[in-house]
Amino acid sequence: MADSKKWKSKLLSSSIPLEFDVAKLLVDQGFIIEADYTYSRDDKGTYKNFSVDINASAYAPFSETESEGRNEFCANVQLLIECKYRDNNTKWLFLPEINTTDFTQMIAGRAIRIIEEFSPVRFEDKKSVHDFECEIEDAYKAIELKLGDSPSVYDAEIKHGISQLQYAIPGLLRHLIEYNIGEHLNDNRPIIMCPILVTTADLLLINTDVSISKVYEAESLEEMTTKHPFLLFYSDSNPEFQEHWIRTFDDFSSLNETPGMIKLESLFQNSTPNSIKHFNASNLVEHLSVGSSYYLREYCSHFVICNYNHLEEFIEKLKLSIKKLIESKINIQDYCPK
């Protein structure tokens, strides 16, 4: 019996069963999954391959059949998912965002990223997606607390999970953009990306009135925290990540010389609404090539952390917000002289 508990514990701690459960849930929700999305990263002077557990993709509005989806799809939805199994005695504690609205680092639209500069399709009203993000509590720092006879506190695994997601974003983003530009304009659609760290640990947000004295006085974690199904997590990049980004986007500016980009830019300039003319895909290509700090924050600083038991709820709400988003779609080709 003891041996049985040991191998089960080891198997569960590998996160493989959790990853499989997550994959099945995503397939049931209409996504196509790819295991071990791989990217290269400099590790102490040597390039090594790393991976994120799952890259899930779907066509919005998430039609029931593949053929139906291809005929009407309005956006290419991409999820990067890293899985962390924890036993019932492990809790993840987060600090809440306490900056005022004018100074917060948490900006709506940066966790669920809508990248429409490389497509003739535009969404005029992004309120549904932004509202969904605003419903989720913000956090900016986390620790892992293991309860029981020998309590321990550490943050390495949470940081590792966020780092895996962050470093995977540039390669996936470049691939998706280049794929878009290589497609016929009629088949070219906006990209929606969301990185998610899934765990079986409870997600506990420390109450804003907590202090050192209140920690001393507390009899339990429940007195000083609030349990959440999912959180938005902020993690800024460092100089090493900026170098990784620049290496990933090496020679990316040559995209501006391709026929697909030239056609797209011409389309923007010839459109009749002035609101469309400000879209400048070639300018964004240049910013991505040099690793502009603004776009590193725009694309790589906000993450969703989700308790596995609430992942289905999150995915369903995400899909609903995207379905409402695409109700506002326009195609720039409809506003150009024939």
Side-chain angles (χ1 to χ4, degrees):
M1 193 63 148
D3 288 342
S4 173
K5 288 183 178 180
K6 286 181 180 179
W7 73 256
K8 287 179 183 179
S9 175
K10 292 294 185 181
L11 177 58
L12 289 168
S13 65
S14 73
S15 294
I16 286 293
L18 173 60
E19 182 181 332
F20 191 45
D21 278 349
V22 169
K24 288 184 290 185
L25 185 153
L26 291 167
V27 170
D28 287 344
Q29 288 287 338
F31 285 82
I32 301 167
I33 65 110
E34 175 189 347
D36 296 328
Y37 176 78
T38 304
Y39 60 92
S40 294
R41 176 177 171 183
D42 184 5
D43 182 32
K44 299 178 181 179
T46 303
Y47 283 100
K48 295 181 179 178
N49 286 337
F50 293 81
S51 65
V52 167
D53 291 330
I54 297 171
N55 175 206
S57 58
Y59 296 128
F62 311 99
S63 301
E64 293 298 323
T65 65
E66 182 179 359
S67 59
E68 183 185 351
R70 288 187 181 279
N71 287 333
E72 66 173 47
F73 91 91
C74 304
N76 181 359
V77 182
Q78 298 281 328
L79 308 179
L80 284 169
I81 299 179
E82 185 74 2
C83 301
K84 298 287 183 185
Y85 174 84
R86 293 296 182 267
D87 62 31
N88 292 333
N89 279 333
T90 303
K91 314 295 180 184
W92 285 10
L93 269 66
F94 297 84
L95 292 183
E97 172 61 276
I98 56 175
N99 287 316
T100 61
T101 303
D102 290 339
F103 298 100
T104 181
Q105 302 272 24
M106 305 299 296
I107 299 174
R110 288 189 171 181
I112 305 168
R113 303 143 172 84
I114 303 169
I115 304 157
E116 52 188 353
E117 288 85 353
F118 301 97
S119 168
V121 174
R122 289 285 180 274
F123 303 122
E124 294 191 298
D125 187 357
K126 300 179 177 66
K127 186 175 183 297
S128 63
V129 172
H130 291 176
D131 284 352
F132 175 43
E133 284 196 20
C134 291
E135 291 174 7
I136 306 172
E137 292 291 334
D138 299 331
Y140 72 94
K141 194 165 187 176
I143 59 168
E144 187 168 294
L145 175 59
K146 191 170 182 63
L147 306 176
D149 295 334
S150 302
S152 59
V153 175
Y154 46 95
D155 63 0
E157 281 299 303
I158 299 175
K159 286 183 175 179
H160 179 263
I162 293 296
S163 178
Q164 290 287 84
L165 292 168
Q166 188 177 57
Y167 273 80
I169 291 171
L172 180 60
L173 179 60
R174 174 167 183 164
H175 167 74
L176 294 170
I177 292 172
E178 290 178 335
Y179 180 82
N180 255 18
I181 296 304
E183 286 281 283
H184 190 281
L185 282 177
N186 290 334
D187 299 323
N188 188 322
R189 294 295 180 265
I191 301 159
I192 300 176
M193 292 180 65
C194 182
I196 308 171
L197 180 58
V198 178
T199 181
T200 51
D202 288 339
L203 309 181
L204 305 179
L205 192 64
I206 292 176
N207 298 332
T208 54
D209 64 348
V210 165
S211 62
I212 293 175
S213 60
K214 288 196 174 184
V215 173
Y216 275 115
E217 295 168 3
E219 296 293 329
S220 67
L221 273 177
E222 288 74 14
E223 293 180 32
M224 48 181 282
T225 63
T226 304
K227 187 176 175 180
H228 289 272
F230 28 81
L231 294 166
L232 293 186
F233 188 78
Y234 176 83
S235 181
D236 205 353
S237 58
N238 55 31
E240 179 185 313
F241 177 75
Q242 186 175 31
E243 292 175 5
H244 169 73
W245 178 286
I246 292 172
R247 283 193 298 269
T248 302
F249 280 89
D250 185 38
D251 295 329
F252 188 61
S253 58
S254 62
L255 190 69
N256 285 335
E257 308 303 321
T258 61
M261 181 64 84
I262 294 169
K263 286 181 182 178
L264 191 62
E265 289 284 86
S266 175
L267 192 66
F268 295 158
Q269 296 306 312
N270 291 327
S271 61
T272 49
N274 290 329
S275 61
I276 293 175
K277 293 183 185 293
H278 79 275
F279 283 103
N280 191 328
S282 61
N283 189 45
L284 179 54
V285 165
E286 296 298 335
H287 282 296
L288 297 179
S289 298
V290 299
S292 164
S293 59
Y294 172 84
Y295 286 102
L296 264 62
R297 291 193 181 96
E298 180 80 10
Y299 297 137
C300 301
S301 63
H302 290 49
F303 307 84
V304 174
I305 300 183
C306 184
N307 177 272
Y308 169 69
N309 292 329
H310 298 277
L311 180 61
E312 185 173 10
E313 175 191 354
F314 175 81
I315 296 297
E316 288 178 347
K317 288 184 174 182
L318 173 65
K319 288 169 63 176
L320 180 60
S321 71
I322 293 173
K323 286 179 180 179
K324 291 180 179 178
L325 168 76
I326 63 179
E327 290 175 1
S328 70
K329 75 177 178 71
I330 63 169
N331 194 315
I332 297 173
Q333 295 178 94
D334 298 333
Y335 294 87
C336 291
K338 302 297 182 184

